[in-house]
Every structure is written in structure tokens, then in C-alpha cells.
DNA sequence: TGGGTATACATCTGATTCTTATGTATCTTC
DNA sequence: GAAGATACATAAGAATCAGATGTATACCCA
């Protein structure tokens, strides 16, 4: 099952914040791979979507970065700021509530 | 709880198809009101979003219309075409699967 | 040693989708 | 007769993402 792309829209920020919430410290590529693995290739985050989102969250003050060098290769680690932590909880509550509402509206049976 | 608007994006077509699937015959305004009621004002479909979507689904051959007059006022009823019926099932399966995947990824507890 | 694949960052164009605003008109209720 | 509800519709602009493209390093293996 490949999800039509418009479905994933709107959930990316929440996914990113939740990943950082659970794992403390991650870099961009790691997030895409982690999501890909956990969802068994069902949710594939494109880089063209991820990086602008990370930059946006950073400029909103929700994320902080530290650059690390692995050999000569740059790696940018992201962590949640205090504001980011509360925003992550807020966004998760919202998404959870939304999913419950949708589930009820559409009479979806739980897996 | 008011959902940030981007969350609802991508689900509108599926919601419309499901509503018609359950209720056989509905007109636009009725869909907005039904969704509003069932979700207790949590999902509010704007007319600027709904009507273009209905027109698009119709031009894709998924919906058929019959116009009815209530006094002098026009009312456009929509029903699913055979193609629309199978598309509705398909879209519902996709959304259900997506919700299950998201629920697992984000470790959401069922309501 | 060269080629393919993976890692890792980034930006840009265009497509899609929705919000908000606007418009028209009728009906109901007070 | 005015407000609010019913009922359709379109249009401009914002937001977000897919897909393409670009750069560069690292690893594997034939």
C-alpha cells in the first residue's frame, strides 16, 4: 500500500517533533530512515519536504542544532528546545484527537 | 480543540466519498452540516473547499448529480457512480491503513 | 580503480489543496 | 424588515509537499 501523497500532508511536523521527543537527538537523514523502517516503507519522507521543515522548526525556535563531522562529512543533529518539547506534546495531542475524530466519523475499526 | 488546518488536508475527498457511501444521496451543504454535527464542531468543512472538491469528483466520473428545487432554491444532490463506489472503498482502505501506520509510528493509544 | 550505492546536506519549480473573501439568492423567524 | 440560516459558486493567495537537481563523501566489491 502506497499512500496517496496528499494524505501525509500536514502530519510531517508532528512526526518530526515526535521522533525527536522519543530519541532526544537525530539528524535529518536518520529521521527519514527511521520512519521508513518503522513503517515498513509505507511512509517515505522526501528530503525536499524534510529539510525545509527542519529549517522552519528551527527558525520557530522549536529545534536546536549541533553540527558534527563524521570523517569529512557534515551531520546536523537536531534536538528539541524547551518550547519544542511542549509544542511536541501539543501537536501529538492534536493529532491523536484528530485521528480519534476521523475514526469515529468514518467508522473505522481499530487494527 | 480546533485542528490546525493542515491536518485536515488530504482527507476531504475520502470524507466526502464515505459520507455518500453511507447516505446514498446528499447535497453539499448537508455534508458540511453532517460532518460538523457528528464531529461536534471539530471538523468544519469550508464551502470554498467542498464545492471545488465535489466538482472535481464529478468530473472524474465518481459522482453523479440531480438538481432539485426546494421552493425556488436549487439543491444539488450527489450520488456515487459505480466507479465512485469502488473508489470510495479504496480511499477508505488507504486512510484506514494510513491511520493505523501513524498510530503505530507515533505510539498513539486508542480512545 | 572504477562504478554503484549509500550517506548527508541543500534548494527550487511546480502541483495541489485549502482558507478567506466575495458574490448571489431564497427562506425562516422574530 | 432584519438577521440568520440555507444553498449554490468562484477567485486570489498561502501553505505544503513531490520530484528534480545539485554537491560531496564513504563504502563495497569486482
Amino acid at each position: 500500500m502506497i499512500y496517496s501523497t496528499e494524505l501525509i500532508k500536514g502530519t510531517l511536523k508532528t512526526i518530526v517533533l515526535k521522533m525527536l521527543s522519543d530519541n532526544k537527538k537525530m539528524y535529518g537523514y536518520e529521521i527519514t530512515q527511521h520512519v521508513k523502517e518503522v513503517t515498513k516503507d509505507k511512509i517515505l519522507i522526501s528530503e525536499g519536504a524534510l529539510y525545509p521543515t527542519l529549517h522552519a522548526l528551527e527558525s520557530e525556535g522549536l529545534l536546536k542544532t549541533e553540527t558534527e563531522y563524521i570523517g569529512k562529512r557534515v551531520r546536523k543533529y537536531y534536538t528539541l528546545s524547551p518550547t519544542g518539547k511542549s509544542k511536541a506534546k501539543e501537536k501529538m495531542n492534536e493529532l491523536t484527537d484528530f485521528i480519534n475524530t476521523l475514526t469515529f466519523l468514518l467508522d473505522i475499526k481499530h487494527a
Side-chain angles (χ1 to χ4, degrees), chain A residues 86-99:
Chain A
S86 64
K87 190 75 176 179
K89 282 179 196 163
E90 201 182 292
K91 281 287 213 178
M92 276 301 296
N93 287 338
E94 190 193 7
L95 182 53
T96 299
D97 196 289
F98 177 63
I99 285 179

Side-chain angles (χ1 to χ4, degrees), chain A residues 7-61:
Chain A
L7 256 193
I8 303 180
K9 296 200 184 203
T11 58
L12 182 55
K13 273 191 186 177
T14 307
I15 290 175
V16 168
L17 290 173
K18 172 68 172 171
M19 292 301 108
L20 290 173
S21 214
D22 288 349
N23 300 289
K24 306 293 177 198
K25 180 182 170 185
M26 295 180 93
Y27 54 98
Y29 188 74
E30 188 183 12
I31 294 175
T32 66
Q33 297 309 303
H34 184 70
V35 170
K36 179 177 147 79
E37 278 165 33
V38 172
T39 66
K40 291 173 187 157
D41 291 18
K42 288 183 169 189
I43 298 181
L44 302 175
I45 300 175
S46 72
E47 296 179 283
L50 180 67
Y51 290 114
T53 296
L54 285 172
H55 301 161
L57 290 173
E58 189 185 3
S59 78
E60 285 173 47

